[in-house]
Amino acid sequence: RVGPTRIPVVVHVLFNTAAQNISDAQITSQIDVLNQDFRAQNPDVAKVPPVWKPLVADARIQFHLATEDPEGQPTDGITRTQTQTTRFNIRTDDAKSASTGGHDAWPADKYLNIWVCPRIFNPADGDEILGYAQFPGGAPETDGVVIGHRFFGTNGTSSAPFNLGRTTTHEVGHWLNLRHIWGDDGEGCSGSDFVADTPNAGGPNFGTPTFPSLTCSNGPDGDMFVNYMDYTDDKGMFMFTKGQAARMDAALDSFRSSF
Ligand code: ARG
Ligand code: ZN
Ligand code: CA
C-alpha cells in the first residue's frame, strides 16, 4: 500500500431508550480515536515503556463516516433504529439483522459496519460483553464490529474505565485479523497471536498493570499489556506493534483488498 488506506464507516445506532440513541458527537469522538490510534497519533503513545518505543507502529489506516449510502445517495454515515431488543446475543448476531431487532449490514466490501447497541451478552453465562468483531473471511452479512454504547466514543454515554474509545480500536484490530496478544490459550504459554514482535504472554491483563508484568519466562520486559489487543482498561492501552501493522497490511492486501 502506498499512503494510508481510507475506510468508509457506517455506524448503526440501535436504541431502546432515548438515552441509548447516542449523539453524533459521541460517534465522531470514536472516529477521532480510531484515526489517532491507527496512525500512532494518540497523545498517550508517550506512555509506552521505553523498551517498546521502537516497536510502535503507524498502521496507516484512516476512517471516515460514509458520505454515500449503498444506493449512491448522500448520507451522514449513521443509521438510527429504535428496537424492542435490550440485550443483543453475541452468538446469534442479533444486532446485524433487522429481523432480530437490529439493522442489516451495508455491503461489507465497501463499508466497515459498526453496530452500537444497548447491551451485548454471552448466552453461555449471561455476562455483558464490551464489544466483539468478526475476523476477515467470514460471511459478509455479519461482517463488522458490535459495541455497547457505554463503551463507545469518549463523551455522551461512554463510561469509565472504558470511555476512551479503545474497545472499538481493539475490535477493529480483530476486524483486520489481529489476535489477542496472549494467544487465546487461557493462561498457557503455547498460544500465539502470529505476530513476531509481541512477547509471548500467559493470559489477558486487566486494569492498569505496572511495568514489568512477567509470565511465560518473558522477562525482563514481560507482557506487552499496553497493547490494544490485551484486555487492560482503556487508559492502559496505547500501541500496535510493527508486526501487528504488517499483519493488518496483509489483511488489507487480501481479505480486505476492496478497500
Ligand atoms: N471483550 C472484548 C474482546 O475480546 C474487548 C475488550 C476491550 N478492552 C478495553 N479495554 N476496551 O474483543
Ligand atoms: Zn478481543
Ligand atoms: Ca498465552
Side-chain angles (χ1 to χ4, degrees), residues 187-200:
E187 298 286 329
C189 296
S190 56
S192 175
D193 61 356
F194 310 107
V195 170
D197 62 4
T198 54
N200 186 29

PDB file of all heavy atoms in Angstrom, residues 187-200:
ATOM      1  N   GLU A 187      -4.415 -19.347  30.251  1.00  0.00           N
ATOM      2  CA  GLU A 187      -3.221 -18.770  30.872  1.00  0.00           C
ATOM      3  C   GLU A 187      -1.955 -19.464  30.374  1.00  0.00           C
ATOM      4  O   GLU A 187      -0.864 -19.263  30.912  1.00  0.00           O
ATOM      5  CB  GLU A 187      -3.311 -18.885  32.397  1.00  0.00           C
ATOM      6  CG  GLU A 187      -4.482 -18.139  33.016  1.00  0.00           C
ATOM      7  CD  GLU A 187      -4.298 -16.622  33.035  1.00  0.00           C
ATOM      8  OE1 GLU A 187      -3.155 -16.155  33.136  1.00  0.00           O
ATOM      9  OE2 GLU A 187      -5.317 -15.913  32.922  1.00  0.00           O
ATOM     10  N   GLY A 188      -2.075 -20.315  29.368  1.00  0.00           N
ATOM     11  CA  GLY A 188      -0.939 -21.107  28.892  1.00  0.00           C
ATOM     12  C   GLY A 188       0.090 -20.289  28.137  1.00  0.00           C
ATOM     13  O   GLY A 188      -0.105 -19.111  27.847  1.00  0.00           O
ATOM     14  N   CYS A 189       1.198 -20.958  27.794  1.00  0.00           N
ATOM     15  CA  CYS A 189       2.305 -20.275  27.114  1.00  0.00           C
ATOM     16  C   CYS A 189       2.541 -20.815  25.714  1.00  0.00           C
ATOM     17  O   CYS A 189       3.570 -20.564  25.096  1.00  0.00           O
ATOM     18  CB  CYS A 189       3.581 -20.385  27.943  1.00  0.00           C
ATOM     19  SG  CYS A 189       3.436 -19.534  29.533  1.00  0.00           S
ATOM     20  N   SER A 190       1.579 -21.581  25.189  1.00  0.00           N
ATOM     21  CA  SER A 190       1.797 -22.183  23.869  1.00  0.00           C
ATOM     22  C   SER A 190       0.962 -21.509  22.779  1.00  0.00           C
ATOM     23  O   SER A 190       1.210 -21.731  21.599  1.00  0.00           O
ATOM     24  CB  SER A 190       1.477 -23.681  23.914  1.00  0.00           C
ATOM     25  OG  SER A 190       0.159 -23.859  24.375  1.00  0.00           O
ATOM     26  N   GLY A 191      -0.009 -20.683  23.166  1.00  0.00           N
ATOM     27  CA  GLY A 191      -0.812 -19.978  22.160  1.00  0.00           C
ATOM     28  C   GLY A 191      -0.013 -18.860  21.520  1.00  0.00           C
ATOM     29  O   GLY A 191       0.943 -18.352  22.108  1.00  0.00           O
ATOM     30  N   SER A 192      -0.393 -18.479  20.292  1.00  0.00           N
ATOM     31  CA  SER A 192       0.318 -17.406  19.598  1.00  0.00           C
ATOM     32  C   SER A 192      -0.668 -16.449  18.960  1.00  0.00           C
ATOM     33  O   SER A 192      -1.772 -16.835  18.581  1.00  0.00           O
ATOM     34  CB  SER A 192       1.219 -18.000  18.511  1.00  0.00           C
ATOM     35  OG  SER A 192       1.819 -16.954  17.764  1.00  0.00           O
ATOM     36  N   ASP A 193      -0.221 -15.187  18.834  1.00  0.00           N
ATOM     37  CA  ASP A 193      -1.021 -14.217  18.082  1.00  0.00           C
ATOM     38  C   ASP A 193      -0.485 -14.087  16.653  1.00  0.00           C
ATOM     39  O   ASP A 193      -0.929 -13.232  15.897  1.00  0.00           O
ATOM     40  CB  ASP A 193      -1.027 -12.848  18.784  1.00  0.00           C
ATOM     41  CG  ASP A 193       0.354 -12.246  18.911  1.00  0.00           C
ATOM     42  OD1 ASP A 193       1.346 -12.898  18.527  1.00  0.00           O
ATOM     43  OD2 ASP A 193       0.457 -11.091  19.406  1.00  0.00           O
ATOM     44  N   PHE A 194       0.481 -14.948  16.302  1.00  0.00           N
ATOM     45  CA  PHE A 194       1.056 -14.982  14.945  1.00  0.00           C
ATOM     46  C   PHE A 194       1.727 -13.668  14.562  1.00  0.00           C
ATOM     47  O   PHE A 194       1.758 -13.295  13.394  1.00  0.00           O
ATOM     48  CB  PHE A 194       0.002 -15.401  13.909  1.00  0.00           C
ATOM     49  CG  PHE A 194      -0.731 -16.650  14.319  1.00  0.00           C
ATOM     50  CD1 PHE A 194      -2.058 -16.594  14.758  1.00  0.00           C
ATOM     51  CD2 PHE A 194      -0.090 -17.883  14.323  1.00  0.00           C
ATOM     52  CE1 PHE A 194      -2.728 -17.732  15.173  1.00  0.00           C
ATOM     53  CE2 PHE A 194      -0.755 -19.037  14.739  1.00  0.00           C
ATOM     54  CZ  PHE A 194      -2.076 -18.964  15.161  1.00  0.00           C
ATOM     55  N   VAL A 195       2.234 -12.977  15.581  1.00  0.00           N
ATOM     56  CA  VAL A 195       2.982 -11.734  15.373  1.00  0.00           C
ATOM     57  C   VAL A 195       4.306 -11.906  16.108  1.00  0.00           C
ATOM     58  O   VAL A 195       4.318 -12.262  17.288  1.00  0.00           O
ATOM     59  CB  VAL A 195       2.190 -10.526  15.935  1.00  0.00           C
ATOM     60  CG1 VAL A 195       3.044  -9.272  15.944  1.00  0.00           C
ATOM     61  CG2 VAL A 195       0.905 -10.302  15.139  1.00  0.00           C
ATOM     62  N   ALA A 196       5.412 -11.659  15.420  1.00  0.00           N
ATOM     63  CA  ALA A 196       6.721 -11.987  15.995  1.00  0.00           C
ATOM     64  C   ALA A 196       7.202 -11.000  17.059  1.00  0.00           C
ATOM     65  O   ALA A 196       7.932 -11.384  17.967  1.00  0.00           O
ATOM     66  CB  ALA A 196       7.758 -12.087  14.878  1.00  0.00           C
ATOM     67  N   ASP A 197       6.798  -9.731  16.966  1.00  0.00           N
ATOM     68  CA  ASP A 197       7.389  -8.754  17.879  1.00  0.00           C
ATOM     69  C   ASP A 197       6.558  -8.475  19.135  1.00  0.00           C
ATOM     70  O   ASP A 197       6.878  -7.571  19.903  1.00  0.00           O
ATOM     71  CB  ASP A 197       7.737  -7.455  17.140  1.00  0.00           C
ATOM     72  CG  ASP A 197       6.512  -6.763  16.530  1.00  0.00           C
ATOM     73  OD1 ASP A 197       5.381  -7.245  16.733  1.00  0.00           O
ATOM     74  OD2 ASP A 197       6.708  -5.737  15.852  1.00  0.00           O
ATOM     75  N   THR A 198       5.487  -9.231  19.349  1.00  0.00           N
ATOM     76  CA  THR A 198       4.760  -9.137  20.622  1.00  0.00           C
ATOM     77  C   THR A 198       5.249 -10.265  21.521  1.00  0.00           C
ATOM     78  O   THR A 198       5.312 -11.412  21.079  1.00  0.00           O
ATOM     79  CB  THR A 198       3.238  -9.273  20.406  1.00  0.00           C
ATOM     80  OG1 THR A 198       2.976 -10.483  19.683  1.00  0.00           O
ATOM     81  CG2 THR A 198       2.674  -8.087  19.637  1.00  0.00           C
ATOM     82  N   PRO A 199       5.619  -9.961  22.776  1.00  0.00           N
ATOM     83  CA  PRO A 199       6.159 -11.011  23.641  1.00  0.00           C
ATOM     84  C   PRO A 199       5.149 -12.131  23.876  1.00  0.00           C
ATOM     85  O   PRO A 199       3.941 -11.869  23.972  1.00  0.00           O
ATOM     86  CB  PRO A 199       6.434 -10.274  24.956  1.00  0.00           C
ATOM     87  CG  PRO A 199       6.394  -8.815  24.644  1.00  0.00           C
ATOM     88  CD  PRO A 199       5.543  -8.648  23.436  1.00  0.00           C
ATOM     89  N   ASN A 200       5.626 -13.365  23.963  1.00  0.00           N
ATOM     90  CA  ASN A 200       4.750 -14.471  24.354  1.00  0.00           C
ATOM     91  C   ASN A 200       4.220 -14.158  25.749  1.00  0.00           C
ATOM     92  O   ASN A 200       4.968 -13.774  26.638  1.00  0.00           O
ATOM     93  CB  ASN A 200       5.543 -15.785  24.351  1.00  0.00           C
ATOM     94  CG  ASN A 200       4.642 -16.985  24.617  1.00  0.00           C
ATOM     95  OD1 ASN A 200       3.453 -16.952  24.292  1.00  0.00           O
ATOM     96  ND2 ASN A 200       5.201 -18.034  25.196  1.00  0.00           N
TER      97      ASN A 200
END
